Amino acid sequence: MVQKKSGDNPYRHIPPQGFWRTAVAEPGLFGLSDLWSSIWTLPSDAVFATFGSCFAQHISRALLARGRNWLNAEPAPGRTPAEIAKTFNYGIFSARTGNIYTAAQLLYWVKLASGQMEPEAIELWTDEKGRVHDMLRPKIEPDGFVSEAEARASLASTARAFRRCITESDVFVFTLGLTEGWVNTRTGQSYSICPGTGVGTFDAEVHAFRNYTYPEILRDLELSLELMWQMNPALKVLLTVSPVPLVATASGDHVLVATQYSKSVLRAVAGDAAQRHGAVDYFPSYEIIAAPPTRAAFFEPNMRGIAPAGVDFVMGHFFAGLDLSGPAHGRLAQSEDAKAAESDAQSAREDLVCEEMILERFNDA
Amino acid sequence: MTPDLMLLGDSHTISLEEGARSLGLDVAALRYGGNVWHEGKFGWNADGFFPKGSNLGRRGLAQLQDRLGVKNVFSVGAPVLTTVGFHLGRLTRPFNWSDHVVMAPGDPAPSTGLLASDALAEAYVSHFRGAHIRMLKRLSREAKLIVVPPPAISEEPNFRQLRAIIVRLMQRAGLEIFDGAQALFGDAPLPAHLIEPDGQHTTPEFGAMVISRLRDAGRI
């Protein structure tokens, strides 16, 4: 009787990256590779739009730094000094939405962009100085708007820009940040921050805490995706989860426990959405920062903020896995330089006319 | 001899100068192009205001100093009218690159383009015109200074809104303003015969109307 060797099994066919020893323990943190590989071959000049929680802004910066085609659908006016643009929250996300922390807030923006919801549906709050704030992005203007009309017009303007991000992008990158949020129990309005924490007035009768569950988040995300694909059937959506822990929790749990719960739920939703749709992918920014191999090395001393080296590390893996080998489609926005040159030429012509008028004053003939 | 009136500004002072002369006033003018003003090529020293980086500009100032016999030409006691601080084409052109719209009170919400809030527009204008306003404020301590904003005759988007913001900032700084077009015609458009064919500048007739109004009001 011939003694058989241990039989073939699926684990014999798994590449080294599927085993902890060969993929993690032996290479070490800085030897990690193939953490993510894009499921899409994108055009070399693929247009990216970025939104979500605060970690999403690192993706836009990294895309710009590498000369990639990041859509800024709501830029500051030309030649706005960088400090002013930053103060007014320009150039952080692809439109001036401010942080979109939850899937519920994403659904609001998608509905505004699609026309299913009007800016009038968004709650406004007037502070003691008479300045008006919209509760979907309460800190978008450092001192609020001058009037309700201006606040609504600004919401409509950003909704138009957000729509462009859906219709003109190849890849819509969205970073899920929180499960926790606050809602108005009478209107259903979802808030990006708890009313009374800087903007708004807290009213326990109306404002209620919500720790969105997995089914609720998946539902809001799926509704958002459905509407986005109605506007652009070719749109690809890349989901990430912010590795930044909660600054505070209203759940009653310890903030560390609440953070792990929140991130776990978001991670599960993102993973499931990616498995359900070929046009959705998941990039593991959360794991790259928070998983054991880093020994929390990429967190700032407060164990919350992400150190620049961590952001670079994440983005290194992002670009390593991105496949931009497809043919360019040529959809490039007019560069700031080209606009500046055109504008300067026109100004020079106008100045010449004025200078000539001034010089003519010396003509005594 | 001390002139009746002094002018400081850009090509928009020409109609004021010609208008004043037509009324028999003795006028002295110090005038530079919008690019000098916009790029902040001016300063202040012990002799008062001076243009920077422009030989022509320095010569113009030197001639005026010789004529008036003083170093600080704005210290002779004549009232000064100025158009400094506007040069709006240099502001509106880049501001409009991405189709931004600043709403005036009562305006309907724009259905296209991007809304720029009044606060953002004010911060933008302050950045580019703050030095001008500070210079005028300083000048106003040495002479009777009246800012005469060039009329909003351009159809360029945001021209009126940014002009209004400049005026607001100047008023906040305590500068005396005389908006000739507003005083003469209210909110109605400036009559076409008072606009030069270039579509940007006003005629000497308009300049004379402004000077007359100021004189009748005892402001100069």
Side-chain angles (χ1 to χ4, degrees):
Chain A
M1 188 175 158
V2 180
Q3 194 171 7
K4 283 187 179 174
K5 287 174 109 178
S6 177
D8 194 16
N9 70 70
Y11 285 92
R12 288 192 180 279
H13 305 283
I14 291 174
Q17 73 180 58
F19 292 91
W20 191 267
R21 178 177 59 79
T22 48
V24 180
E26 288 176 356
L29 177 61
F30 294 101
L32 293 174
S33 61
D34 301 320
L35 281 169
W36 174 68
S37 179
S38 172
I39 59 172
W40 313 302
T41 297
L42 298 167
S44 58
D45 56 353
V47 178
F48 294 84
T50 52
F51 291 98
S53 74
C54 54
F55 192 76
Q57 62 192 277
H58 297 306
I59 300 175
S60 51
R61 276 196 216 122
L63 285 163
L64 279 173
R66 284 169 170 81
R68 292 299 170 192
N69 211 358
W70 178 67
L71 177 59
N72 188 0
E74 193 177 8
R79 296 225 165 99
T80 299
E83 203 51 44
I84 294 175
K86 191 176 164 195
T87 302
F88 284 83
N89 290 293
Y90 283 97
I92 295 170
F93 302 108
S94 288
R96 223 163 138 244
T97 56
N99 292 320
I100 304 176
Y101 290 113
T102 62
Q105 286 157 32
L106 173 65
L107 184 55
Y108 263 75
W109 279 110
V110 175
K111 284 182 174 177
L112 283 166
S114 70
Q116 275 200 10
M117 185 181 273
E118 296 296 326
E120 286 69 25
I122 304 302
E123 186 179 323
L124 302 180
W125 178 73
T126 304
D127 64 24
E128 63 281 0
K129 292 178 183 166
R131 306 289 291 196
V132 181
H133 307 257
D134 79 62
M135 295 304 283
L136 199 52
R137 33 169 214 169
K139 295 182 175 174
I140 203 73
E141 288 275 316
D143 298 313
F145 294 97
V146 291
S147 64
E148 288 194 4
E150 189 182 68
R152 300 248 184 254
S154 178
L155 272 166
S157 170
T158 298
R160 284 194 295 273
F162 191 79
R163 183 185 174 88
R164 277 190 58 209
C165 293
I166 294 168
T167 59
E168 297 180 20
S169 293
D170 295 296
V171 183
F172 186 98
V173 184
F174 185 71
T175 301
L176 292 152
L178 294 177
T179 56
E180 295 190 15
W182 290 82
V183 294
N184 185 312
T185 54
R186 288 186 192 145
T187 64
Q189 162 94 48
S190 170
Y191 300 112
S192 67
I193 58 171
C194 175
T197 55
V199 175
T201 307
F202 186 74
D203 179 352
E205 297 283 307
V206 177
H207 300 131
F209 173 70
R210 286 286 293 276
N211 201 357
Y212 291 98
T213 61
Y214 170 95
E216 289 171 328
I217 297 167
L218 187 62
R219 180 202 61 207
D220 287 344
L221 185 60
E222 288 285 352
L223 287 170
S224 301
L225 292 171
E226 197 177 307
L227 278 173
M228 289 159 82
W229 285 325
Q230 281 175 20
M231 289 182 265
N232 179 5
L235 183 68
K236 295 172 174 60
V237 178
L238 181 60
L239 297 174
T240 69
V241 172
S242 166
V244 180
L246 276 64
V247 70
T249 179
S251 66
D253 292 332
H254 189 290
V255 68
L256 188 143
V257 176
T259 293
Q260 287 309 109
Y261 170 80
S262 185
K263 302 299 176 184
S264 302
V265 168
L266 295 174
R267 173 63 185 90
V269 168
D272 283 1
Q275 283 182 6
R276 285 179 182 207
H277 304 284
V280 178
D281 196 1
Y282 172 73
F283 170 70
S285 55
Y286 172 71
E287 289 86 336
I288 293 171
I289 293 293
T294 65
R295 295 176 173 85
F298 292 137
F299 285 99
E300 299 282 12
N302 67 0
M303 289 289 126
R304 183 169 182 273
I306 311 298
V311 173
D312 290 346
F313 191 67
V314 168
M315 296 319 300
H317 282 284
F318 178 79
F319 287 103
L322 204 57
D323 180 0
L324 293 168
S325 61
H329 50 39
R331 283 195 280 115
L332 290 168
Q334 187 188 16
S335 75
E336 191 90 334
D337 290 348
K339 287 178 182 172
E342 195 177 298
S343 170
D344 288 346
Q346 200 178 342
S347 289
R349 285 193 294 275
E350 183 184 293
D351 285 342
L352 190 62
V353 171
C354 294
E355 297 285 359
E356 283 171 353
M357 287 178 75
I358 290 168
L359 292 173
E360 180 60 23
R361 304 290 303 161
F362 296 107
N363 181 1
D364 295 328
Chain B
M1 190 177 116
T2 302
D4 298 315
L5 184 65
M6 296 188 68
L7 297 169
L8 174 67
D10 56 10
S11 53
H12 291 283
T13 58
I14 291 173
S15 67
L16 295 173
E17 181 178 1
E18 293 188 353
R21 288 195 200 287
S22 72
L23 295 170
L25 297 179
D26 179 23
V27 184
L30 205 48
R31 189 161 31 231
Y32 305 105
N35 58 336
V36 168
W37 293 116
H38 178 75
E39 286 163 20
K41 293 179 181 171
F42 55 84
W44 202 272
N45 61 19
D47 295 333
F49 169 86
F50 72 98
K52 282 181 186 170
S54 163
N55 289 332
L56 192 64
R58 276 196 293 273
R59 273 207 300 278
L61 178 61
Q63 283 170 4
L64 194 55
Q65 287 169 331
D66 288 348
R67 178 188 153 186
L68 301 177
V70 292
K71 284 290 185 188
N72 185 348
V73 296
F74 296 110
S75 66
V76 295
V80 180
L81 302 187
T82 183
T83 60
V84 168
F86 290 87
H87 332 295
L88 276 155
R90 298 296 291 258
L91 280 184
T92 55
R93 209 159 289 129
F95 194 91
N96 294 340
W97 282 349
S98 302
D99 297 328
H100 283 89
V101 180
V102 184
M103 283 170 71
D107 276 1
S111 57
T112 59
L114 299 173
L115 185 105
S117 69
D118 181 82
L120 170 71
E122 186 177 302
Y124 187 95
V125 168
S126 284
H127 175 81
F128 289 106
R129 293 293 177 264
H132 303 72
I133 293 172
R134 286 191 295 277
M135 186 274 285
L136 293 176
K137 182 78 183 154
R138 187 161 187 174
L139 185 56
S140 72
R141 291 198 286 267
E142 301 202 348
K144 161 78 173 171
L145 179 78
I146 301 175
V147 179
V148 183
I153 51 182
S154 170
E155 292 301 317
E156 197 160 353
N158 296 315
F159 191 96
R160 286 173 184 273
Q161 287 87 337
L162 296 193
R163 177 184 182 275
I165 288 171
I166 296 171
V167 170
R168 182 203 302 167
L169 291 171
M170 288 177 162
Q171 285 170 330
R172 206 180 285 162
L175 293 170
E176 185 177 344
I177 312 280
F178 180 73
D179 189 336
Q182 177 70 34
L184 292 163
F185 303 104
D187 291 331
L190 200 63
H193 72 277
L194 298 177
I195 302 171
E196 292 285 4
D198 66 10
Q200 293 181 36
H201 297 88
T202 50
T203 63
E205 184 184 351
F206 174 77
M209 292 165 79
V210 169
I211 301 293
S212 294
R213 182 62 72 92
L214 280 168
R215 199 167 57 174
D216 294 348
R219 293 172 72 172
I220 57 172

